[in-house]
Amino acid sequence: MQRIRLRYTKRGRLRFTSHRDFQRAFERALRRSEVPMAYSAGFTPHPKVSYANAAPTGTGSEAEYLEIQLAEVRDPARLRELLDESLPAGLDIVDAVEARTSSFAERLEASVWELRLDGVELADAERAVTAFLAAETVEVERRTKNGMRTFDARGAVCRLQALAAPADRPGDGPCAILRLVVRHVTPAVRPDDVLSGLRATADLAPPVPAAVTRLAQGLLDDETGTVTDPLAPDRDAATAVSSTTAGAAMAPGGRS
């Protein structure tokens, strides 16, 4: 049985796709592409697909991950192409590697988010960021399935900075960009929680909802605050296997 790990995106209007909607679209793509899926046992077998840390509905993402199990071996690159062709534009399969390491979900330690704040001056965003980072704790409230819950939005934030909007951004009004690195904790701290914290600490209230995009998720480097590619260990393991196989073939007595 072969396991393949995939990275996919949610872009444009497809950012409003719920996780359940994506699951349905992806399972249709598996059938259209005739992927030889492995299935669970029992009265209602279902394809073995594991989703990891999906982004909230309404947010875009360049770094969503899932893993599938196959009954037959397939080339990951070709499999990526077939699945990407079978999904609507915006839900794009952008990377695929064979799983050669364990504990993949544990490598999703943190996320990098970008928040576009239309109608907000850069100076106001910088002032709010400074106030938020200076606070020891920033308590916010969020409604959950068990009712309202209060928790600290500051502790999970590893990095937060305000940036000027790109010069080619459409529109003439002010716009600030927030770049945010958030550690995955329980309860999860989401970008809207940080916005609530900025409102609480510095009265920053964008006139329109922020456009939120996840840029990356993976292992967190505590010293630099950067997030690394979670698929890299699988690529490294595949390269090591290829090098060992090639070396054995070239060794005396090996086949060339």
Side-chain angles (χ1 to χ4, degrees):
M1 187 175 295
Q2 183 187 34
R3 293 180 297 133
I4 303 293
R5 289 167 179 161
L6 304 169
R7 178 166 69 92
Y8 68 94
T9 70
K10 291 172 59 181
R11 296 168 173 161
R13 294 178 62 186
L14 273 299
R15 70 174 55 224
F16 299 103
T17 303
S18 70
H19 182 55
R20 184 65 60 86
D21 291 335
F22 174 78
Q23 285 180 303
R24 287 193 287 263
F26 184 68
E27 290 190 11
R28 285 196 297 269
L30 290 173
R31 292 193 293 271
R32 289 186 189 129
S33 303
E34 298 182 343
V35 177
M37 291 295 298
Y39 281 79
S40 62
F43 291 104
T44 56
H46 58 272
K48 290 189 174 182
V49 183
S50 299
Y51 300 91
N53 198 37
T57 302
T59 63
S61 181
E62 295 295 313
E64 301 296 287
Y65 293 93
L66 60 85
E67 179 179 295
I68 60 177
Q69 293 189 35
L70 308 184
E72 301 174 11
V73 175
R74 290 291 186 271
D75 173 56
R78 179 56 181 157
L79 185 66
R80 186 206 68 78
E81 293 175 357
L82 291 172
L83 288 171
D84 189 51
E85 291 170 358
S86 298
L87 283 168
L91 297 179
D92 306 314
I93 308 294
V94 295
D95 203 355
V97 299
E98 183 173 2
R100 295 179 178 272
T101 61
S102 60
S103 304
F104 176 70
E106 294 177 6
R107 295 204 292 270
L108 302 181
E109 292 181 339
S111 288
V112 181
W113 297 94
E114 183 176 276
L115 288 67
R116 192 180 76 238
L117 307 181
D118 286 298
V120 175
E121 297 285 354
L122 177 59
D124 292 334
E126 290 175 332
R127 175 180 56 82
V129 165
T130 299
F132 182 93
L133 294 177
E136 291 187 7
T137 61
V138 179
E139 290 192 346
V140 299
E141 287 188 333
R142 187 206 306 155
R143 185 173 298 280
T144 68
K145 61 182 179 181
N146 297 320
M148 294 299 294
R149 182 167 186 177
T150 301
F151 56 94
D152 176 27
R154 174 66 184 89
V157 176
C158 305
R159 193 173 183 181
L160 175 61
Q161 59 185 142
L163 306 169
D168 58 353
R169 187 189 66 85
D172 299 324
C175 179
I177 302 294
L178 297 184
R179 190 67 57 83
L180 173 67
V181 179
V182 180
R183 188 187 300 274
H184 298 164
V185 295
T186 303
V189 173
R190 306 185 308 199
D192 56 322
D193 297 321
V194 176
L195 286 174
S196 296
L198 291 168
R199 186 181 303 112
T201 56
D203 198 27
L204 182 71
V208 297
V212 181
T213 303
R214 173 148 56 192
L215 302 180
Q217 60 174 321
L219 287 167
L220 175 66
D221 186 323
D222 289 311
E223 292 186 1
T224 63
T226 57
V227 173
T228 60
D229 180 7
L231 298 180
D234 295 296
R235 292 195 191 89
D236 294 342
T239 300
V241 169
S242 298
S243 299
T244 301
T245 302
M250 296 297 293
R255 294 182 178 181
S256 59

